[in-house]
Amino acid sequence: MNQSIRLLMLVLILLLTACTTMYLEGLEKVGIPKRDVMVYRVEKARDTQQETKEQFKSALEQFTAATHFQGGDLEATYKRLNDAYEASLGKAEEVRSRIADIESVSEALFTEWKQEITQYSNASMRQNSQRKLEATQAHYHQLISSMKQAESKIQPILTVFNDQVMYLKHNLNARAIASLKGELGNIKSDVSALIASMERSINEANAFINTMDSK
């Protein structure tokens, strides 16, 4: 990567950071604190993961049904599988975006919290706030780790989906169906692992939301 590209990337990062800061400050001016924004974004990420889980279940059903092809219009089968792949791809991008949204507001929230702790003159209050900050950060790291672990299982499945859809498009014959049959066991296993990981992440999100609401 040459110097000009690195400089451009740095400028873009700084601009995005500035925009995020201005956006969050604007919300606070109308009575919406960073804490509430964070909870809202965790809720949205949780809901997106639920939708993504259902989408991959649906896609698996479409791929499984295709292996039972007994003759007819393979072009229609290709279109159904391609639609399933495209929908899954869209949900994958949404999951990544939701995680990034949580990370941006959490960084701002924790930075502000740390700065405000230093302003306490009462030692007991300062220590209590510090403990709450550390507990919230620990729970947050557990949450974001779970979300990223689930998200990391998506791309390998999408890669296989894409390969099978393209192979079917280029062949539209029994050989393409045979290829899908040969890969179906691995696809089922990977989707099952993704769903289980998504469910753990959704549970972590619910626990985090409940903790934040109770504080």
Short mmCIF file of all heavy atoms in Angstrom, two decimals, residues 90-141:
data_model
loop_
_atom_site.label_atom_id
_atom_site.label_comp_id
_atom_site.label_asym_id
_atom_site.label_seq_id
_atom_site.Cartn_x
_atom_site.Cartn_y
_atom_site.Cartn_z
N GLY A 90 -27.07 -10.49 1.74
CA GLY A 90 -27.56 -9.22 2.26
C GLY A 90 -27.62 -9.21 3.78
O GLY A 90 -27.25 -8.23 4.43
N LYS A 91 -28.08 -10.32 4.35
CA LYS A 91 -28.16 -10.41 5.81
C LYS A 91 -26.77 -10.43 6.44
O LYS A 91 -26.56 -9.87 7.52
CB LYS A 91 -28.95 -11.66 6.22
CG LYS A 91 -30.45 -11.49 6.13
CD LYS A 91 -30.90 -10.35 7.03
CE LYS A 91 -32.36 -10.01 6.86
NZ LYS A 91 -32.74 -8.81 7.65
N ALA A 92 -25.82 -11.07 5.77
CA ALA A 92 -24.45 -11.10 6.28
C ALA A 92 -23.87 -9.69 6.37
O ALA A 92 -23.22 -9.32 7.35
CB ALA A 92 -23.58 -11.97 5.38
N GLU A 93 -24.13 -8.90 5.34
CA GLU A 93 -23.64 -7.52 5.33
C GLU A 93 -24.31 -6.69 6.43
O GLU A 93 -23.68 -5.84 7.06
CB GLU A 93 -23.90 -6.90 3.96
CG GLU A 93 -23.04 -7.52 2.85
CD GLU A 93 -23.45 -7.08 1.46
OE1 GLU A 93 -24.51 -6.42 1.34
OE2 GLU A 93 -22.73 -7.41 0.50
N GLU A 94 -25.58 -6.97 6.67
CA GLU A 94 -26.31 -6.25 7.71
C GLU A 94 -25.76 -6.60 9.10
O GLU A 94 -25.64 -5.72 9.96
CB GLU A 94 -27.80 -6.58 7.63
CG GLU A 94 -28.67 -5.70 8.51
CD GLU A 94 -30.15 -5.96 8.35
OE1 GLU A 94 -30.54 -6.62 7.36
OE2 GLU A 94 -30.92 -5.51 9.22
N VAL A 95 -25.43 -7.87 9.31
CA VAL A 95 -24.85 -8.29 10.59
C VAL A 95 -23.54 -7.54 10.85
O VAL A 95 -23.31 -7.02 11.95
CB VAL A 95 -24.61 -9.81 10.62
CG1 VAL A 95 -23.72 -10.19 11.81
CG2 VAL A 95 -25.93 -10.56 10.71
N ARG A 96 -22.67 -7.49 9.84
CA ARG A 96 -21.39 -6.79 10.00
C ARG A 96 -21.61 -5.32 10.33
O ARG A 96 -20.91 -4.74 11.17
CB ARG A 96 -20.56 -6.95 8.73
CG ARG A 96 -19.90 -8.31 8.58
CD ARG A 96 -18.88 -8.32 7.47
NE ARG A 96 -19.51 -8.26 6.16
CZ ARG A 96 -19.88 -9.33 5.46
NH1 ARG A 96 -19.69 -10.53 5.96
NH2 ARG A 96 -20.44 -9.20 4.27
N SER A 97 -22.57 -4.71 9.66
CA SER A 97 -22.87 -3.29 9.89
C SER A 97 -23.38 -3.06 11.30
O SER A 97 -23.00 -2.08 11.96
CB SER A 97 -23.90 -2.81 8.86
OG SER A 97 -24.26 -1.47 9.10
N ARG A 98 -24.24 -3.95 11.79
CA ARG A 98 -24.79 -3.81 13.14
C ARG A 98 -23.68 -3.91 14.20
O ARG A 98 -23.68 -3.17 15.19
CB ARG A 98 -25.84 -4.88 13.40
CG ARG A 98 -27.09 -4.80 12.54
CD ARG A 98 -27.86 -3.53 12.77
NE ARG A 98 -29.14 -3.55 12.07
CZ ARG A 98 -29.91 -2.50 11.88
NH1 ARG A 98 -29.54 -1.31 12.36
NH2 ARG A 98 -31.06 -2.59 11.23
N ILE A 99 -22.76 -4.83 14.00
CA ILE A 99 -21.65 -4.98 14.95
C ILE A 99 -20.79 -3.72 14.96
O ILE A 99 -20.40 -3.23 16.02
CB ILE A 99 -20.80 -6.22 14.60
CG1 ILE A 99 -21.61 -7.50 14.84
CG2 ILE A 99 -19.51 -6.25 15.43
CD1 ILE A 99 -20.93 -8.77 14.38
N ALA A 100 -20.51 -3.18 13.79
CA ALA A 100 -19.71 -1.95 13.69
C ALA A 100 -20.42 -0.79 14.39
O ALA A 100 -19.77 0.04 15.05
CB ALA A 100 -19.46 -1.61 12.23
N ASP A 101 -21.74 -0.73 14.28
CA ASP A 101 -22.51 0.33 14.94
C ASP A 101 -22.36 0.24 16.46
O ASP A 101 -22.23 1.26 17.15
CB ASP A 101 -23.99 0.22 14.57
CG ASP A 101 -24.27 0.68 13.15
OD1 ASP A 101 -23.40 1.34 12.55
OD2 ASP A 101 -25.37 0.37 12.64
N ILE A 102 -22.40 -0.98 16.99
CA ILE A 102 -22.25 -1.17 18.43
C ILE A 102 -20.85 -0.74 18.87
O ILE A 102 -20.67 -0.06 19.89
CB ILE A 102 -22.50 -2.64 18.82
CG1 ILE A 102 -23.95 -3.02 18.56
CG2 ILE A 102 -22.15 -2.87 20.30
CD1 ILE A 102 -24.23 -4.51 18.72
N GLU A 103 -19.85 -1.13 18.10
CA GLU A 103 -18.47 -0.82 18.47
C GLU A 103 -18.22 0.69 18.49
O GLU A 103 -17.52 1.20 19.37
CB GLU A 103 -17.50 -1.50 17.49
CG GLU A 103 -17.44 -3.01 17.68
CD GLU A 103 -16.47 -3.68 16.73
OE1 GLU A 103 -16.54 -3.40 15.51
OE2 GLU A 103 -15.64 -4.48 17.20
N SER A 104 -18.81 1.41 17.55
CA SER A 104 -18.57 2.86 17.49
C SER A 104 -19.18 3.58 18.69
O SER A 104 -18.54 4.45 19.29
CB SER A 104 -19.13 3.44 16.18
OG SER A 104 -20.54 3.34 16.13
N VAL A 105 -20.40 3.21 19.07
CA VAL A 105 -21.02 3.90 20.20
C VAL A 105 -20.41 3.45 21.52
O VAL A 105 -20.29 4.25 22.46
CB VAL A 105 -22.56 3.70 20.21
CG1 VAL A 105 -22.94 2.26 20.56
CG2 VAL A 105 -23.22 4.66 21.19
N SER A 106 -20.00 2.19 21.62
CA SER A 106 -19.40 1.71 22.87
C SER A 106 -18.07 2.41 23.14
O SER A 106 -17.77 2.76 24.29
CB SER A 106 -19.18 0.20 22.81
OG SER A 106 -18.20 -0.15 21.86
N GLU A 107 -17.30 2.63 22.09
CA GLU A 107 -16.02 3.33 22.26
C GLU A 107 -16.26 4.74 22.79
O GLU A 107 -15.57 5.20 23.71
CB GLU A 107 -15.28 3.40 20.92
CG GLU A 107 -13.93 4.09 21.01
CD GLU A 107 -13.20 4.14 19.68
OE1 GLU A 107 -13.69 3.54 18.71
OE2 GLU A 107 -12.13 4.78 19.63
N ALA A 108 -17.26 5.42 22.23
CA ALA A 108 -17.57 6.78 22.68
C ALA A 108 -18.10 6.77 24.11
O ALA A 108 -17.73 7.63 24.93
CB ALA A 108 -18.60 7.40 21.74
N LEU A 109 -18.96 5.81 24.42
CA LEU A 109 -19.54 5.72 25.77
C LEU A 109 -18.47 5.47 26.82
O LEU A 109 -18.42 6.16 27.85
CB LEU A 109 -20.58 4.60 25.81
CG LEU A 109 -21.15 4.26 27.19
CD1 LEU A 109 -21.93 5.44 27.76
CD2 LEU A 109 -22.04 3.01 27.12
N PHE A 110 -17.61 4.49 26.58
CA PHE A 110 -16.60 4.14 27.57
C PHE A 110 -15.54 5.25 27.73
O PHE A 110 -15.05 5.49 28.84
CB PHE A 110 -15.94 2.81 27.21
CG PHE A 110 -16.87 1.63 27.31
CD1 PHE A 110 -16.85 0.62 26.37
CD2 PHE A 110 -17.79 1.54 28.35
CE1 PHE A 110 -17.71 -0.47 26.45
CE2 PHE A 110 -18.66 0.46 28.45
CZ PHE A 110 -18.62 -0.54 27.50
N THR A 111 -15.20 5.91 26.65
CA THR A 111 -14.25 7.03 26.72
C THR A 111 -14.82 8.15 27.58
O THR A 111 -14.14 8.70 28.45
CB THR A 111 -13.93 7.56 25.31
OG1 THR A 111 -13.30 6.53 24.55
CG2 THR A 111 -13.00 8.76 25.39
N GLU A 112 -16.08 8.48 27.35
CA GLU A 112 -16.74 9.53 28.13
C GLU A 112 -16.85 9.14 29.60
O GLU A 112 -16.59 9.96 30.49
CB GLU A 112 -18.13 9.78 27.55
CG GLU A 112 -18.93 10.85 28.28
CD GLU A 112 -20.32 11.01 27.70
OE1 GLU A 112 -21.20 10.16 28.00
OE2 GLU A 112 -20.52 11.96 26.93
N TRP A 113 -17.20 7.88 29.84
CA TRP A 113 -17.36 7.39 31.22
C TRP A 113 -16.04 7.50 31.98
O TRP A 113 -16.00 7.96 33.13
CB TRP A 113 -17.85 5.95 31.17
CG TRP A 113 -18.44 5.41 32.44
CD1 TRP A 113 -18.25 5.88 33.71
CD2 TRP A 113 -19.31 4.28 32.56
NE1 TRP A 113 -18.95 5.12 34.61
CE2 TRP A 113 -19.61 4.13 33.94
CE3 TRP A 113 -19.86 3.38 31.66
CZ2 TRP A 113 -20.43 3.11 34.42
CZ3 TRP A 113 -20.68 2.36 32.13
CH2 TRP A 113 -20.96 2.23 33.49
N LYS A 114 -14.95 7.09 31.34
CA LYS A 114 -13.63 7.16 31.99
C LYS A 114 -13.27 8.60 32.33
O LYS A 114 -12.72 8.87 33.41
CB LYS A 114 -12.57 6.56 31.06
CG LYS A 114 -12.63 5.06 30.91
CD LYS A 114 -11.60 4.57 29.90
CE LYS A 114 -11.71 3.08 29.66
NZ LYS A 114 -10.76 2.62 28.60
N GLN A 115 -13.56 9.50 31.42
CA GLN A 115 -13.24 10.91 31.65
C GLN A 115 -14.07 11.48 32.80
O GLN A 115 -13.56 12.25 33.63
CB GLN A 115 -13.48 11.72 30.37
CG GLN A 115 -12.51 11.40 29.25
CD GLN A 115 -12.89 12.06 27.93
OE1 GLN A 115 -14.03 12.53 27.76
NE2 GLN A 115 -11.97 12.08 26.99
N GLU A 116 -15.33 11.10 32.86
CA GLU A 116 -16.21 11.63 33.90
C GLU A 116 -15.86 11.09 35.28
O GLU A 116 -16.07 11.78 36.29
CB GLU A 116 -17.67 11.32 33.54
CG GLU A 116 -18.16 12.12 32.35
CD GLU A 116 -19.57 11.75 31.93
OE1 GLU A 116 -20.08 10.70 32.37
OE2 GLU A 116 -20.17 12.53 31.15
N ILE A 117 -15.33 9.88 35.35
CA ILE A 117 -14.93 9.31 36.64
C ILE A 117 -13.88 10.18 37.32
O ILE A 117 -13.90 10.36 38.55
CB ILE A 117 -14.42 7.87 36.45
CG1 ILE A 117 -15.60 6.92 36.21
CG2 ILE A 117 -13.62 7.40 37.68
CD1 ILE A 117 -15.19 5.49 35.89
N THR A 118 -12.99 10.75 36.53
CA THR A 118 -11.91 11.58 37.10
C THR A 118 -12.45 12.88 37.70
O THR A 118 -11.73 13.56 38.45
CB THR A 118 -10.87 11.92 36.02
OG1 THR A 118 -11.48 12.73 35.00
CG2 THR A 118 -10.31 10.66 35.38
N GLN A 119 -13.69 13.22 37.39
CA GLN A 119 -14.26 14.48 37.86
C GLN A 119 -14.91 14.36 39.24
O GLN A 119 -15.30 15.36 39.84
CB GLN A 119 -15.28 15.00 36.85
CG GLN A 119 -14.68 15.30 35.48
CD GLN A 119 -15.74 15.61 34.43
OE1 GLN A 119 -16.86 15.98 34.77
NE2 GLN A 119 -15.38 15.46 33.16
N TYR A 120 -15.02 13.12 39.75
CA TYR A 120 -15.61 12.94 41.08
C TYR A 120 -14.67 13.49 42.16
O TYR A 120 -13.46 13.26 42.13
CB TYR A 120 -15.82 11.45 41.38
CG TYR A 120 -17.09 10.85 40.80
CD1 TYR A 120 -17.04 10.00 39.70
CD2 TYR A 120 -18.33 11.12 41.37
CE1 TYR A 120 -18.19 9.44 39.17
CE2 TYR A 120 -19.49 10.57 40.85
CZ TYR A 120 -19.41 9.73 39.75
OH TYR A 120 -20.55 9.17 39.23
N SER A 121 -15.25 14.20 43.11
CA SER A 121 -14.48 14.61 44.29
C SER A 121 -14.70 13.62 45.43
O SER A 121 -13.86 13.49 46.33
CB SER A 121 -14.89 16.02 44.74
OG SER A 121 -16.28 16.05 45.04
N ASN A 122 -15.81 12.89 45.36
CA ASN A 122 -16.15 11.89 46.38
C ASN A 122 -15.50 10.56 46.00
O ASN A 122 -15.83 9.97 44.97
CB ASN A 122 -17.67 11.75 46.48
CG ASN A 122 -18.10 10.81 47.59
OD1 ASN A 122 -17.83 9.62 47.53
ND2 ASN A 122 -18.80 11.35 48.59
N ALA A 123 -14.59 10.06 46.83
CA ALA A 123 -13.84 8.85 46.52
C ALA A 123 -14.74 7.62 46.42
O ALA A 123 -14.54 6.76 45.55
CB ALA A 123 -12.77 8.61 47.58
N SER A 124 -15.74 7.53 47.29
CA SER A 124 -16.64 6.37 47.28
C SER A 124 -17.44 6.32 45.98
O SER A 124 -17.59 5.26 45.37
CB SER A 124 -17.59 6.44 48.48
OG SER A 124 -18.50 5.37 48.44
N MET A 125 -17.95 7.47 45.56
CA MET A 125 -18.70 7.53 44.31
C MET A 125 -17.81 7.19 43.12
O MET A 125 -18.22 6.49 42.19
CB MET A 125 -19.30 8.93 44.12
CG MET A 125 -20.42 9.26 45.07
SD MET A 125 -21.06 10.94 44.76
CE MET A 125 -22.42 11.00 45.93
N ARG A 126 -16.57 7.69 43.16
CA ARG A 126 -15.63 7.43 42.07
C ARG A 126 -15.34 5.93 41.96
O ARG A 126 -15.35 5.36 40.87
CB ARG A 126 -14.34 8.21 42.30
CG ARG A 126 -13.32 8.04 41.17
CD ARG A 126 -12.15 8.99 41.29
NE ARG A 126 -11.43 8.82 42.54
CZ ARG A 126 -11.44 9.68 43.55
NH1 ARG A 126 -12.16 10.80 43.47
NH2 ARG A 126 -10.76 9.46 44.66
N GLN A 127 -15.12 5.29 43.09
CA GLN A 127 -14.82 3.85 43.10
C GLN A 127 -16.03 3.04 42.63
O GLN A 127 -15.89 2.06 41.89
CB GLN A 127 -14.40 3.42 44.50
CG GLN A 127 -13.04 3.96 44.91
CD GLN A 127 -12.75 3.75 46.39
OE1 GLN A 127 -13.56 3.16 47.11
NE2 GLN A 127 -11.61 4.26 46.86
N ASN A 128 -17.21 3.45 43.06
CA ASN A 128 -18.43 2.75 42.65
C ASN A 128 -18.65 2.85 41.14
O ASN A 128 -18.99 1.87 40.48
CB ASN A 128 -19.63 3.33 43.40
CG ASN A 128 -20.93 2.61 43.05
OD1 ASN A 128 -21.69 3.06 42.21
ND2 ASN A 128 -21.17 1.49 43.71
N SER A 129 -18.42 4.04 40.61
CA SER A 129 -18.58 4.25 39.17
C SER A 129 -17.54 3.46 38.39
O SER A 129 -17.82 2.90 37.33
CB SER A 129 -18.47 5.74 38.83
OG SER A 129 -18.73 5.97 37.47
N GLN A 130 -16.32 3.38 38.94
CA GLN A 130 -15.25 2.63 38.28
C GLN A 130 -15.59 1.15 38.22
O GLN A 130 -15.37 0.49 37.20
CB GLN A 130 -13.94 2.83 39.05
CG GLN A 130 -12.74 2.11 38.44
CD GLN A 130 -12.35 2.67 37.08
OE1 GLN A 130 -12.40 3.87 36.86
NE2 GLN A 130 -11.95 1.80 36.16
N ARG A 131 -16.16 0.63 39.31
CA ARG A 131 -16.55 -0.79 39.32
C ARG A 131 -17.65 -1.07 38.30
O ARG A 131 -17.62 -2.08 37.60
CB ARG A 131 -17.03 -1.19 40.73
CG ARG A 131 -15.90 -1.39 41.74
CD ARG A 131 -16.41 -2.09 42.99
NE ARG A 131 -17.39 -1.29 43.70
CZ ARG A 131 -17.10 -0.41 44.65
NH1 ARG A 131 -15.83 -0.22 45.01
NH2 ARG A 131 -18.05 0.26 45.27
N LYS A 132 -18.61 -0.15 38.20
CA LYS A 132 -19.69 -0.33 37.23
C LYS A 132 -19.16 -0.27 35.79
O LYS A 132 -19.59 -1.03 34.93
CB LYS A 132 -20.76 0.75 37.43
CG LYS A 132 -21.62 0.52 38.66
CD LYS A 132 -22.73 1.56 38.76
CE LYS A 132 -23.63 1.28 39.96
NZ LYS A 132 -24.72 2.29 40.09
N LEU A 133 -18.21 0.63 35.57
CA LEU A 133 -17.61 0.74 34.24
C LEU A 133 -16.90 -0.56 33.88
O LEU A 133 -17.08 -1.09 32.77
CB LEU A 133 -16.60 1.90 34.21
CG LEU A 133 -15.69 1.97 32.98
CD1 LEU A 133 -16.51 2.13 31.70
CD2 LEU A 133 -14.68 3.11 33.12
N GLU A 134 -16.10 -1.08 34.79
CA GLU A 134 -15.35 -2.31 34.52
C GLU A 134 -16.28 -3.50 34.29
O GLU A 134 -16.03 -4.33 33.41
CB GLU A 134 -14.40 -2.59 35.68
CG GLU A 134 -13.25 -1.58 35.77
CD GLU A 134 -12.44 -1.71 37.04
OE1 GLU A 134 -12.80 -2.56 37.89
OE2 GLU A 134 -11.45 -0.96 37.19
N ALA A 135 -17.37 -3.57 35.06
CA ALA A 135 -18.33 -4.66 34.89
C ALA A 135 -19.04 -4.55 33.54
O ALA A 135 -19.24 -5.56 32.84
CB ALA A 135 -19.35 -4.64 36.02
N THR A 136 -19.40 -3.32 33.17
CA THR A 136 -20.08 -3.11 31.89
C THR A 136 -19.15 -3.42 30.72
O THR A 136 -19.56 -4.05 29.73
CB THR A 136 -20.58 -1.66 31.77
OG1 THR A 136 -21.45 -1.36 32.88
CG2 THR A 136 -21.34 -1.44 30.47
N GLN A 137 -17.89 -3.01 30.84
CA GLN A 137 -16.92 -3.30 29.78
C GLN A 137 -16.70 -4.80 29.63
O GLN A 137 -16.61 -5.31 28.51
CB GLN A 137 -15.59 -2.61 30.09
CG GLN A 137 -15.59 -1.11 29.80
CD GLN A 137 -14.25 -0.47 30.11
OE1 GLN A 137 -13.70 -0.67 31.20
NE2 GLN A 137 -13.73 0.28 29.17
N ALA A 138 -16.61 -5.50 30.75
CA ALA A 138 -16.39 -6.95 30.70
C ALA A 138 -17.57 -7.64 30.02
O ALA A 138 -17.38 -8.53 29.17
CB ALA A 138 -16.20 -7.49 32.11
N HIS A 139 -18.78 -7.22 30.36
CA HIS A 139 -19.97 -7.81 29.76
C HIS A 139 -20.04 -7.46 28.27
O HIS A 139 -20.41 -8.29 27.43
CB HIS A 139 -21.22 -7.31 30.48
CG HIS A 139 -22.40 -8.21 30.31
ND1 HIS A 139 -23.56 -8.09 31.03
CD2 HIS A 139 -22.61 -9.26 29.47
CE1 HIS A 139 -24.42 -9.02 30.66
NE2 HIS A 139 -23.87 -9.73 29.70
N TYR A 140 -19.66 -6.23 27.95
CA TYR A 140 -19.66 -5.80 26.54
C TYR A 140 -18.68 -6.63 25.72
O TYR A 140 -19.01 -7.07 24.61
CB TYR A 140 -19.28 -4.32 26.45
CG TYR A 140 -18.84 -3.91 25.07
CD1 TYR A 140 -19.76 -3.75 24.04
CD2 TYR A 140 -17.48 -3.73 24.77
CE1 TYR A 140 -19.36 -3.41 22.76
CE2 TYR A 140 -17.08 -3.39 23.50
CZ TYR A 140 -18.01 -3.23 22.50
OH TYR A 140 -17.61 -2.90 21.23
N HIS A 141 -17.48 -6.84 26.24
CA HIS A 141 -16.48 -7.62 25.50
C HIS A 141 -16.95 -9.05 25.28
O HIS A 141 -16.69 -9.65 24.23
CB HIS A 141 -15.14 -7.59 26.24
CG HIS A 141 -14.44 -6.26 26.18
ND1 HIS A 141 -14.20 -5.61 24.99
CD2 HIS A 141 -13.95 -5.46 27.16
CE1 HIS A 141 -13.58 -4.45 25.24
NE2 HIS A 141 -13.42 -4.35 26.54
#
